[in-house]
Amino acid sequence: MKSTVESLSPTKVKLIVEVPFEELKPSLDAAYRSIGSQIVVPGFRKGKIPPQVIDQRVGRGPVLEEAINDALPKLYSQAVQDNQVKAIGRPEVDVTEFNDKESLQFSAEVEVRPEIELPELTGLEASVEDIAISDEEIDEQIESLRQRFGSLNPVERAVGDNDYITLDLSATKDGEKIEEAQATGLSYQVGSGQLLDGLDDAVLGLTAGESKTFVTQLVGGALKGEDVDVSVTVTAVKEQELPAFDDDFAQTASEFDTADELKADVRTRLEKGKRLEQAGDARDAVLEKILTLVEVPVPDGLLTDEVAARRENLDQQLGYSGMDFAQFLEGEEQTEEEFDEDLKKRSEDAIKAQFVLDLVAEQQELSVNDQELTEHIVRHAQRSGVSPDQFAQHAVENNLVPSLVSEVVRGKALAYLVENAKVTDASGNEVELKTLLPDGSYADPDAVDVTEAAAEETPAEEPAKA
């Protein structure tokens, strides 16, 4: 077999392949066996019919067609390997010439990974925002902690904002009760907006035992999105009493003896969280920086598939949440044209990032060991709410393991870039990343070389399809 490569664009090539007829013999024999097992010829057992008899009964053409269809994928793969083509996706194959018992010629156009010239990877400069912790943020954390230890006390007065109430709901449409929209004994905090539009306004001012009817739209069921009448009856009113933030509270709610110690711990925890956020911002900033320094052509077919996959994922998420695309656009304050443009841009950036990180991994000879893959599977399982064994089985059954390996390798490539970059905050201070631990604290730089914070996740905009 002879093959040559013709470049059609930076992201597409054309393979031209010529195959002597004798190289088709294994596929031709397989075609005769296949067809011979499907037909009945008096005097011959199934599967034992001579080729010349099959030619007489079925014709040479169907045999050759099946043989060529069997041979083409193997011949194409061999041509890709021989010419070291970095193919992406499915090729467009065209049989250009076929002479029985002489030769087969075909061409295959396929998208390829573009050739990328990386800049110097040491000393890339990027900037992130300063870490800032406000008194308001600390107060919010303390307030949340006080609410966890608060108590609900019944009151004999009208419902007010932030009260906790027990209520019954009954929805009707044109006077007919909607069976799936009936509820009793629901607990609800006024002002949370977690049930129905208009409910907060309806219950304000009511006392236990009083009812009110209002018009709203259901968020699910057969009448989703339609106006219905909802009768709400308040059966109990409670207000939350919060404990004072003092030393006694600190001893009850934490391992600390004083309120000052607890408050200092809250600040420390916020600081650690901010460091991790800053590390994530640094990772994204370094990746964005390198993408501005390289020219990365994006294959049209790959981009089309990526956009389609992302849109499909979004549609599934909207379906789970009970929201349609129009409502989503309204919430995002985007037109459909703006959304499509933004989706295309994010898809392009994700593909470019994939190409760059794959090349960095190749140049640095990065690999994945069993422990790293296992840890990555555990993180995926935790995010998916399933056991690691279940997720691993799903990955094997759906051939997702290569994609998971690629995610880890790209994460390590990004960690390499971040480690060798110079990242500063808005005040000009260098951001320490090499010794940042996954909990937001710092390791002893002389005792351990830590890269988990940068490698913990793959890029923020990982392509939907590897």
Side-chain angles (χ1 to χ4, degrees):
M1 183 182 81
K2 295 188 298 184
S3 61
T4 58
V5 179
E6 176 186 341
S7 177
L8 302 179
S9 75
T11 59
K12 197 169 190 178
V13 300
K14 182 177 183 179
L15 285 163
I16 301 171
V17 184
E18 183 176 349
V19 187
F21 190 81
E22 56 268 20
E23 293 187 24
L24 297 176
K25 189 176 186 306
S27 294
L28 191 63
D29 292 342
Y32 275 119
R33 286 194 300 271
S34 174
I35 294 174
S37 67
Q38 300 173 44
I39 64 174
V40 176
V41 178
F44 296 97
R45 287 182 298 164
K46 269 192 174 183
K48 300 295 183 180
I49 305 172
Q52 59 270 26
V53 175
I54 294 176
D55 288 345
Q56 292 171 357
R57 288 298 184 101
V58 179
R60 176 78 165 175
V63 177
L64 292 174
E65 182 178 357
E66 184 163 333
I68 291 173
N69 289 337
D70 175 74
L72 280 177
K74 306 168 189 174
L75 296 170
Y76 164 76
S77 296
Q78 185 63 49
V80 166
Q81 183 177 344
D82 291 346
N83 293 276
Q84 298 182 332
V85 172
K86 298 177 180 178
I88 299 173
R90 295 184 177 181
E92 296 178 6
V93 178
D94 180 31
V95 176
T96 54
E97 184 177 338
F98 176 64
N99 296 309
D100 191 4
K101 301 181 180 179
E102 293 184 13
S103 66
L104 165 70
Q105 292 185 20
F106 69 92
S107 64
E109 294 186 9
V110 64
E111 290 185 325
V112 295
R113 290 182 177 272
E115 294 295 327
I116 304 172
E117 185 174 345
L118 292 177
E120 173 59 47
L121 299 181
T122 302
L124 289 172
E125 295 185 358
S127 179
V128 294
E129 294 295 324
D130 290 335
I131 289 179
I133 301 172
S134 66
D135 292 338
E136 288 77 10
E137 289 176 296
I138 296 175
D139 291 341
E140 284 178 7
Q141 294 293 315
I142 292 174
E143 184 71 9
S144 177
L145 188 59
R146 291 176 66 208
Q147 288 177 354
R148 285 174 53 192
F149 286 84
S151 58
L152 294 178
N153 302 319
V155 292
E156 294 184 4
R157 59 165 173 77
V159 176
D161 220 4
N162 297 318
D163 279 344
Y164 288 80
I165 62 175
T166 306
L167 52 82
D168 300 336
L169 291 174
S170 177
T172 60
K173 176 73 172 179
D174 299 328
E176 296 291 330
K177 184 181 291 187
I178 305 170
E179 293 300 332
E180 66 269 26
Q182 310 294 313
T184 58
L186 288 178
S187 296
Y188 179 69
Q189 183 181 17
V190 180
S192 65
Q194 293 180 345
L195 282 178
L196 295 170
D197 287 342
L199 177 60
D200 290 327
D201 292 335
V203 298
L204 285 173
L206 297 182
T207 58
E210 291 186 328
S211 302
K212 191 172 184 178
T213 299
F214 63 102
V215 178
T216 189
Q217 291 185 337
L218 298 181
V219 296
L223 297 177
K224 173 184 172 183
E226 295 188 24
D227 286 343
V228 297
D229 296 314
V230 175
S231 174
V232 56
T233 301
V234 176
T235 59
V237 184
K238 298 178 182 181
E239 65 180 6
Q240 188 176 46
E241 182 180 349
L242 301 181
F245 184 67
D246 53 20
D247 292 349
D248 288 339
F249 175 76
Q251 293 167 21
T252 300
S254 71
E255 70 272 28
F256 300 104
D257 293 327
T258 68
D260 287 343
E261 290 174 332
L262 175 55
K263 190 171 185 177
D265 181 68
V266 169
R267 174 179 287 276
T268 298
R269 291 177 183 274
L270 284 172
E271 226 171 75
K272 289 181 178 180
K274 296 276 188 175
R275 285 196 204 112
L276 292 179
E277 291 178 9
Q278 191 183 60
D281 292 341
R283 179 194 65 209
D284 295 340
V286 169
L287 184 57
E288 183 178 345
K289 177 68 174 182
I290 195 171
L291 290 180
T292 65
L293 299 176
V294 294
E295 185 69 29
V296 187
V298 176
D300 292 336
L302 186 60
L303 178 59
T304 298
D305 291 344
E306 178 68 19
V307 169
R310 285 172 178 261
R311 180 58 194 270
E312 182 180 350
N313 289 341
L314 174 62
D315 289 342
Q316 288 179 347
Q317 292 170 7
L318 293 179
Y320 295 146
S321 66
M323 183 186 300
D324 61 29
F325 185 56
Q327 292 171 320
F328 169 77
L329 290 177
E330 183 178 352
E332 295 293 314
E333 299 182 349
Q334 282 184 317
T335 65
E336 187 168 356
E337 291 75 18
E338 290 170 338
F339 169 81
D340 289 341
E341 183 178 348
D342 179 59
L343 180 61
K344 182 179 179 181
K345 175 66 167 58
R346 288 188 287 112
S347 298
E348 284 181 333
D349 289 345
I351 293 171
K352 289 178 181 180
Q354 174 190 349
F355 287 156
V356 168
L357 293 176
D358 285 346
L359 182 55
V360 172
E362 181 182 323
Q363 290 184 352
Q364 300 304 317
E365 299 181 347
L366 301 178
S367 59
V368 179
N369 59 41
D370 290 342
Q371 181 179 347
E372 290 167 335
L373 180 58
T374 299
E375 291 172 352
H376 191 61
I377 287 174
V378 169
R379 288 193 291 269
H380 263 293
Q382 290 172 340
R383 287 195 291 265
S384 301
V386 299
S387 72
D389 287 343
Q390 287 176 310
F391 187 87
Q393 182 178 353
H394 171 77
V396 171
E397 291 175 351
N398 293 274
N399 195 32
L400 299 178
V401 175
S403 294
L404 293 173
V405 171
S406 294
E407 288 177 6
V408 179
V409 170
R410 289 169 192 151
K412 295 176 77 171
L414 184 52
Y416 173 84
L417 292 177
V418 174
E419 280 186 345
N420 288 278
K422 181 180 180 181
V423 182
T424 55
D425 61 23
S427 299
N429 302 308
E430 188 164 350
V431 177
E432 180 59 60
L433 294 170
K434 289 186 178 181
T435 58
L436 184 63
L437 293 169
D439 67 352
S441 60
Y442 288 118
D444 182 352
D446 297 324
V448 65
D449 179 22
V450 181
T451 63
E452 286 92 338
E456 177 72 16
E457 298 290 342
T458 47
E461 283 290 349
E462 179 70 17
K465 293 183 178 179

